[in-house]
């Protein structure tokens, strides 16, 4: 399988993971190690940057993990830029997962503020991965603004409903010049495999692993599903057909 | 200006109550089998007809909470800054006519209290005062907020209702959320419970969340004081209020608390009783009605009750609480607002949370958010 390049990093695993909702930091660590994930997103609001022995960060101190601080909780571009700068200073990374969802109920992303923040953060030298609705035009605008990747949603965060936006994800994947990471709503390994088969470059999964009865086993299931989906994509899937091939074709009377 | 008062005026207490008590098993089953529930479904879920479905409601509430909030439990500490109060209320130890010594913490005393609270690991603090807009008004908050900002990522408050411009100023000083309970939505009987003082103004209190929403607050905490009036009818109005606020101030988060009347200095009688079973029903009903609202439980409840309900929909709890100014370090014996019931310290509560398969979350916000 091919590797994935985003900005200055190369990833073998195409499964990106989140760190919220786990019943303990220890269990989170175990699950994420098993998942093989090399990019792990951390909510800045959950980290105590003034504490050297912050529990969450201690459990993410593995060479395989690249930290991707996220701005979950901000409501405007201005807040997001400030949060990204704080994260850069605290966690020593210029990577940022841009999450601007002023609606705290469904956590749906604000496209206007996201575009504004991406423009500004890209100018400041950040590697920006914005969480967005599955909007093909916005993805192209973000490309022009200097985004390193796009992260369209499959369905609302934490809903586990799968790829409700599949038609738009296909357009985004077809048109995108930057990696496409399907983020949010992936509730089962089959959803992840489906995204990969469509040609998504990676998926980001949190809730489905964190709230599983056995998060470690579920993490492994996602690892396998993402690899299988990507392999299938690279192997070239056969075309599905709407109609059966007739055994007695209607045009068989024609001479060659 | 259109506010919740306009919505509230369209409802009649007795009609709502009659409607809740007339719900039947068909209504309950319909509510349970939907993917999105209406206020009418909420009526069914809090009705007596839903009690036989309690286990089913609990299972559903647990699943919905786990999906939305994961295996985590937010911890916060209340800090009482003052027991001064200009109101006379029938149910509160701080009532003006309760002849006990009053005190308001100085900045120096606050620093001592903060030190005691921080030792437990708290990063979210809830500031509580009586309602005395002179001694504990804006000038006081301007003085003490910077002290709290230095030590806490998240500052909430439960004080007297204020004007919009005052909330705007406090937000600029780092205020994250405000808890303001209507206590009861029974307008006629509200005056019987709130005899004197600014709190007697039903409408001003009713419109407080509107002023908070317009001020751009991050979170508003709602609730009724269970024990004053029929809890089912009061809870419907609280849910109606929540529903209106979510649609109107859509960038604000909401939480609901379930304070039950506790014994206090000067009295201890609840007019209306709610059983543990019914309180569980109410908690589950809120979760099933609204998958995203935060549900909070204080140390008013017993150890045993709190141990069990954290799996049923609750998302945040306090621990080791003192309900008197200076209670953590400065003057442990000063006047309490009410007696707490769960007296375990925060470490013991965190251990209980862990034993139940949850992570105790001490920090879930950052000062950098909300900076303008």
């Amino acid at each position: 399988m091919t590797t994935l390049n985003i900005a200055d990093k190369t990833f073998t695993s195409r499964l990106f993971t989140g760190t919220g909702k786990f019943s303990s930091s220890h269990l989170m660590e175990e699950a994420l190690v098993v998942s093989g994930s090399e990019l792990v997103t951390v909510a800045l609001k959950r980290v105590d940057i003034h504490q050297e022995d912050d529990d969450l960060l201690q459990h993410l101190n593995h060479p395989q993990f690249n930290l991707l601080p996220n701005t979950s909780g901000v409501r405007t571009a201005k807040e997001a830029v400030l949060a990204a700068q704080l994260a850069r200073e605290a966690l020593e990374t210029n990577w940022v997962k841009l999450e601007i969802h002023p609606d705290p109920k469904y956590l749906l992303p604000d496209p206007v503020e996201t575009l504004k923040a991406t423009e500004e953060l890209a100018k400041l030298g950040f590697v920006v991965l914005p969480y967005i609705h599955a909007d093909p035009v916005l993805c192209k605008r973000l490309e022009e603004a200097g985004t390193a990747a796009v992260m369209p949603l499959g369905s609302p965060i934490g809903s586990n409903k799968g790829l409700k936006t599949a038609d738009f994800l296909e357009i985004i994947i077809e048109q995108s010049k930057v990696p496409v990471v399907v983020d949010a709503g992936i509730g089962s390994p089959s959803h992840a495999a489906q995204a990969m088969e469509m040609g998504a470059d990676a998926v980001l999964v949190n809730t489905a692993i964190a709230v599983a009865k056995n998060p470690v086993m579920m993490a492994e299931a996602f690892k396998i599903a993402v690899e299988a989906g990507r392999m299938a994509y690279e192997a070239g899937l056969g075309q599905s057909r709407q109609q059966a091939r007739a055994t007695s074709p209607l045009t068989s009377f024609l001479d060659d | 200006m259109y506010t919740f008062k306009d919505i509230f005026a369209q409802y009649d207490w007795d009609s709502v109550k009659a409607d809740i008590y007339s719900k039947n098993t068909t209504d309950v089953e319909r509510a349970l089998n939907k993917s999105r529930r209406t206020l009418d479904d909420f009526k069914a879920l809090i009705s007596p007809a839903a009690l036989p479905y309690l286990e089913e409601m609990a299972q559903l509430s647990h699943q919905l909470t786990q999906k939305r909030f994961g295996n985590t439990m937010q911890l916060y500490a209340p800090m009482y800054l003052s027991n001064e109060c200009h109101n006379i209320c029938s149910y509160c130890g701080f009532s003006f006519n309760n002849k006990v010594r009053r005190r308001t913490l100085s900045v120096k005393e606050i620093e001592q209290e903060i030190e005691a609270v921080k030792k437990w690991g708290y990063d979210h603090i809830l500031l509580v005062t009586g309602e005395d807009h002179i001694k504990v008004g804006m000038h006081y908050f301007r003085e003490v907020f910077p002290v709290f900002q230095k030590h806490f990522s998240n500052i909430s408050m439960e004080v007297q209702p204020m004007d919009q411009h005052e909330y705007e100023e406090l937000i600029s000083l780092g205020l994250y959320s405000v808890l303001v309970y209507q206590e009861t939505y029974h307008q006629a009987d509200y005056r019987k419970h709130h005899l004197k003082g600014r709190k007697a103004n039903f409408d001003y209190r009713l419109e407080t969340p509107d002023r908070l929403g317009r001020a751009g607050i991050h979170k508003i905490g709602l609730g009724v004081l269970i024990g004053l009036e029929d809890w089912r009818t009061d809870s419907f109005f609280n849910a109606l209020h929540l529903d209106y606020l979510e649609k109107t101030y859509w960038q604000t988060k909401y939480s609901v608390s379930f304070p039950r009347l506790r014994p206090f200095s000067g009295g201890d009688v609840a007019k209306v009783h709610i059983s543990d079973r019914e309180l569980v029903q109410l908690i589950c009903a809120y979760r099933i009605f609204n998958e995203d609202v935060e549900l909070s439980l204080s140390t008013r409840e017993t150890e045993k009750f709190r141990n069990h309900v954290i799996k049923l929909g609750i998302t945040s709890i306090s621990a080791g609480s003192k309900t008197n100014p200076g209670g953590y370090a400065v003057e442990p014996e000063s006047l309490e607002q009410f007696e707490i019931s769960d007296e375990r310290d925060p470490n013991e509560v965190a251990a209980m949370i862990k034993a139940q398969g949850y992570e105790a979350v001490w920090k879930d916000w950052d000062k950098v958010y909300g900076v303008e």
Side-chain angles (χ1 to χ4, degrees):
Chain A
M1 274 191 307
T2 57
T3 54
L4 168 62
N5 296 312
I6 301 178
D8 57 334
K9 292 192 196 305
T10 301
F11 300 97
T12 307
S13 167
R14 292 170 179 266
L15 172 60
F16 301 163
T17 46
T19 52
K21 300 188 180 182
F22 284 91
S23 62
S24 73
S25 297
H26 176 74
L27 186 65
M28 171 199 76
E29 178 183 15
E30 208 182 334
L32 299 190
V33 168
V34 166
S35 77
S37 181
E38 296 161 329
L39 190 65
V40 177
T41 187
V42 182
L44 182 64
K45 64 181 183 170
R46 282 289 304 273
V47 177
D48 190 346
I49 56 171
H50 306 294
Q51 253 193 313
E52 274 188 25
D53 60 343
D54 178 82
D55 183 59
L56 192 64
L57 294 180
Q58 289 287 307
H59 285 84
L60 294 174
N61 192 11
H62 282 260
Q64 82 177 65
F65 295 149
N66 292 279
L67 292 191
L68 176 63
N70 72 58
T71 62
S72 175
V74 306
R75 299 196 288 195
T76 64
K78 188 178 174 184
E79 285 179 13
V81 171
L82 277 169
Q85 288 169 319
L86 187 73
R88 177 162 64 179
E89 198 180 321
L91 302 176
E92 296 174 342
T93 175
N94 63 335
W95 282 53
V96 62
K97 183 187 174 200
L98 187 58
E99 287 190 43
I100 306 180
H101 31 72
D103 155 29
K105 191 170 169 68
Y106 291 109
L107 308 176
L108 292 168
D110 182 324
V112 179
E113 295 296 311
T114 301
L115 182 58
K116 264 200 288 190
T118 301
E119 282 168 351
E120 193 161 344
L121 288 166
K123 280 181 200 155
L124 292 169
F126 281 89
V127 174
V128 188
L129 288 81
Y131 161 64
I132 49 169
H133 214 294
D135 178 340
V137 174
L138 178 62
C139 286
K140 297 310 285 179
R141 294 290 303 270
L142 288 163
E143 257 180 41
E144 290 164 358
T147 193
V150 288
M151 302 184 81
L153 58 82
S155 51
I157 288 179
S159 68
N160 290 343
K161 287 183 175 175
L163 307 186
K164 297 294 183 193
T165 57
D167 288 354
F168 302 97
L169 291 172
E170 282 175 348
I171 297 169
I172 291 165
I173 291 164
E174 177 201 329
Q175 292 183 335
S176 189
K177 293 198 293 188
V178 295
V180 178
V181 182
V182 177
D183 177 19
I186 292 176
S188 67
S190 60
H191 295 155
Q194 186 193 350
M196 299 311 293
E197 286 174 10
M198 281 166 62
D201 295 283
V203 292
L204 193 146
V205 181
N206 180 192
T207 301
I209 295 174
V211 305
K213 269 189 187 156
N214 184 335
V216 178
M217 192 188 282
M218 186 60 79
E220 189 170 12
F222 269 99
K223 177 180 190 272
I224 295 163
V226 169
E227 285 171 359
R230 181 66 191 181
M231 280 174 85
Y233 173 75
E234 290 187 15
L237 287 157
Q239 287 285 71
S240 62
R241 305 177 63 89
Q242 291 296 341
Q243 293 139 330
R245 287 175 183 257
T247 48
S248 307
L250 296 172
T251 53
S252 59
F253 67 97
L254 295 169
D255 297 327
D256 287 333
Chain B
M1 193 180 298
Y2 193 84
T3 69
F4 180 64
K5 198 175 139 187
D6 299 286
I7 302 270
F8 183 71
Q10 298 166 27
Y11 288 81
D12 169 68
W13 176 278
D14 292 334
S15 306
V16 167
K17 186 175 177 179
D19 197 19
I20 292 168
Y21 283 83
S22 68
K23 295 294 181 193
N24 57 36
T25 54
T26 308
D27 299 317
V28 177
E29 286 175 14
R30 189 185 305 117
L32 287 172
N33 292 319
K34 279 182 167 181
S35 59
R36 286 176 189 273
R37 284 107 189 162
T38 63
L39 281 160
D40 198 55
D41 294 321
F42 183 73
K43 281 182 184 172
L45 294 169
I46 58 172
S47 73
L51 269 170
Y53 296 83
L54 194 57
E55 181 57 30
E56 199 177 326
M57 286 174 69
Q59 294 286 351
L60 182 55
S61 180
H62 171 69
Q63 286 164 22
L64 294 172
T65 308
Q66 196 184 40
K67 189 180 80 168
R68 174 64 178 80
F69 296 91
N71 300 304
T72 62
M73 186 63 55
Q74 180 72 54
L75 280 162
Y76 70 94
M79 186 184 288
Y80 280 69
L81 304 179
S82 173
N83 56 15
E84 296 281 357
C85 193
H86 281 176
N87 297 317
I88 297 180
C89 303
S90 64
Y91 54 80
C92 180
F94 288 177
S95 197
F96 183 73
N97 57 350
N98 200 356
K99 297 300 173 202
V100 288
R101 200 168 69 82
R102 307 286 170 158
R103 71 168 303 154
T104 299
L105 300 183
S106 66
V107 167
K108 195 174 170 193
E109 289 171 330
I110 284 171
E111 281 167 344
Q112 284 176 262
E113 290 285 288
I114 287 174
E115 195 182 341
V117 169
K118 287 299 286 184
K119 273 183 189 161
W120 293 116
Y122 279 114
D123 201 34
H124 287 214
I125 192 86
L126 167 66
L127 311 181
V128 190
T129 69
E131 298 197 1
D132 182 337
H133 65 282
I134 295 165
K135 285 193 178 126
V136 200
M138 280 303 290
H139 70 284
Y140 181 75
F141 296 129
R142 282 186 199 111
E143 187 184 12
V144 304
F145 255 70
V147 184
F148 285 102
Q149 260 247 300
K150 265 192 292 188
H151 298 280
F152 294 95
S153 295
N154 183 299
I155 305 171
S156 303
M157 70 194 309
E158 188 179 347
V159 304
Q160 66 273 15
M162 296 182 182
D163 292 341
Q164 184 181 330
H165 69 91
E166 293 173 319
Y167 286 134
E168 284 166 0
E169 186 180 345
L170 290 172
I171 291 164
S172 75
L173 294 173
L175 176 65
Y176 169 79
S177 84
V178 170
L179 277 60
V180 56
Y181 306 149
Q182 188 59 28
E183 316 295 16
T184 178
Y185 288 85
H186 193 305
Q187 195 162 5
D189 280 5
Y190 183 90
R191 283 307 293 261
K192 295 177 188 171
H193 300 294
H194 307 95
L195 301 156
K196 281 212 168 112
R198 290 188 172 202
K199 197 167 178 177
N201 186 336
F202 180 90
D203 287 351
Y204 186 71
R205 195 171 190 87
L206 191 71
E207 291 183 313
T208 304
D210 278 285
R211 295 193 299 280
L212 281 162
R214 289 197 299 268
I217 193 82
H218 277 281
K219 190 168 94 179
I220 299 172
L222 303 172
V224 295
L225 187 51
I226 298 169
L228 293 183
E229 298 295 335
D230 178 68
W231 65 265
R232 291 187 167 94
T233 313
D234 252 339
S235 297
F236 167 79
F237 279 104
N238 196 64
L240 178 73
H241 207 161
L242 171 67
D243 191 61
Y244 157 82
L245 289 166
E246 278 193 334
K247 289 185 172 93
T248 310
Y249 309 104
W250 58 276
Q251 295 196 32
T252 297
K253 256 187 194 181
Y254 297 92
S255 66
V256 172
S257 301
F258 304 91
R260 281 200 277 194
L261 264 181
R262 292 277 305 148
F264 61 95
S265 170
D268 64 354
V269 184
K271 173 181 160 183
V272 179
H273 181 70
I274 182 172
S275 66
D276 285 0
R277 178 172 285 270
E278 288 167 333
L279 184 51
V280 167
Q281 179 192 0
L282 182 59
I283 291 166
C284 296
Y286 266 108
R287 173 59 64 230
I288 296 165
F289 168 63
N290 188 317
E291 295 181 21
D292 306 286
V293 70
E294 294 181 12
L295 301 179
S296 187
L297 201 67
S298 78
T299 52
R300 288 171 185 259
E301 298 303 330
T302 63
E303 195 175 312
K304 181 186 169 193
F305 188 80
R306 291 192 350 135
N307 288 1
H308 287 90
V309 297
I310 63 167
K311 282 196 166 171
L312 303 184
I314 296 297
T315 56
S316 70
I317 58 173
S318 52
S321 304
K322 305 295 178 193
T323 70
N324 51 329
Y328 292 105
V330 174
E331 190 188 351
E333 299 309 311
S334 71
L335 169 68
E336 293 177 320
Q337 189 185 29
F338 57 86
E339 290 173 18
I340 66 163
S341 185
D342 183 352
E343 297 191 346
R344 288 172 296 181
D345 70 37
N347 288 347
E348 289 171 316
V349 172
M352 176 274 288
I353 290 168
K354 190 178 176 183
Q356 301 246 27
Y358 283 70
E359 181 175 25
V361 174
W362 302 90
K363 180 181 184 289
D364 193 26
W365 193 246
D366 204 277
K367 290 171 203 173
V368 75
Y369 297 162
V371 175
E372 284 300 335

